[in-house]
Amino acid sequence: MTAILRIGLIQGSIREGRFNDRIAGWAARRLEGQGFSLRRIDPRDPHLLPLQTGDEAAADRLRERLGGLDGFVVVTPEYNHAAPGPLKTLIDAASAEWQARPVGLISYGGISGGLRASETLRPVFAELHAMTLRDTVSFAMPFNRFGEDGEMMDADEAARADAAMATFGASLAWWGHALRAARERRPYEKRAA
């Protein structure tokens, strides 16, 4: 149970000037500080961006990047009460890679903190046989709350966010180790409906 968990940190936006980079950077620093090994998966990467047009070679590259990971953290904004379409396209381009793995959700947006986006992803990951964490981290109206260094400017808000991230990371570690051990004992096989 002491082996380092390999986690895919998936960015949820392809927009120019996206705020997603700040939130993903903030999350990455905390996850690495908690002992996770991270692999960033950015849908705006030129090798993955063709996923948006159904490019099978890009889908193969995505599946290769997702392969061998013990779990995932998705950093998503909320657009029109849901997760962004390009993120959904990325998720839909893989299948077995998600199975029997934990998925943590970090969201941001307007007054809801992006929670509606997170909730739209839960049934998607359930259908893919992944296990979403109960604990989330969300940021309501974060756009003027992070400094150029990618850290929260208000000490009290930063402390609350760090506490939420500590709970999140502990849950991710528990499920990541438990599901990895289960997959090692008995490979996961999706059952026909």
Side-chain angles (χ1 to χ4, degrees):
M1 289 284 241
T2 59
I4 293 174
L5 290 170
R6 299 165 311 238
I7 300 297
L9 180 66
I10 300 170
Q11 293 191 237
S13 173
I14 64 171
R15 286 187 178 178
E16 195 64 37
R18 64 189 179 178
F19 196 73
N20 197 270
D21 293 323
R22 287 223 185 154
I23 302 290
W26 178 91
R29 288 187 294 279
R30 275 127 190 99
L31 290 166
E32 287 169 342
Q34 292 174 0
F36 296 101
S37 172
L38 296 184
R39 180 183 302 163
R40 287 250 190 145
I41 299 165
D42 185 348
R44 207 164 81 177
D45 177 324
H47 296 101
L48 296 181
L49 191 57
L51 278 170
Q52 303 307 316
T53 61
D55 183 86
E56 192 54 39
D60 288 341
R61 286 189 291 273
L62 172 67
R63 289 188 289 269
E64 184 178 307
R65 289 182 191 182
L66 296 175
L69 294 173
D70 297 306
F72 305 94
V73 172
V74 177
V75 178
T76 183
E78 180 180 312
Y79 298 161
N80 301 317
H81 287 220
L87 174 59
K88 177 69 164 61
T89 298
L90 182 143
I91 293 166
D92 290 344
S95 180
E97 295 78 11
W98 304 114
Q99 292 175 1
R101 286 167 175 78
V103 178
L105 302 168
I106 297 176
S107 63
Y108 63 95
I111 197 69
S112 77
L115 291 172
R116 293 175 292 219
S118 291
E119 292 307 310
T120 65
L121 294 175
R122 287 185 190 281
V124 173
F125 282 115
E127 181 64 20
L128 291 166
H129 297 246
M131 207 291 305
T132 57
L133 303 180
R134 178 208 172 272
D135 299 299
T136 63
V137 177
S138 64
F139 297 95
M141 307 296 284
F143 311 105
N144 296 319
R145 294 182 170 164
F146 283 79
E148 290 299 317
D149 63 355
E151 294 298 320
M152 297 189 81
M153 295 183 289
D154 181 88
D156 291 336
E157 287 183 356
R160 284 191 296 275
D162 284 340
M165 196 64 186
T167 300
F168 179 94
S171 181
L172 180 63
W174 193 93
W175 282 104
H177 284 296
L179 290 173
R180 181 168 67 187
R183 289 191 313 275
E184 288 170 355
R185 280 192 311 275
R186 182 176 175 189
Y188 186 81
E189 295 180 30
K190 185 169 60 171
R191 304 288 184 251

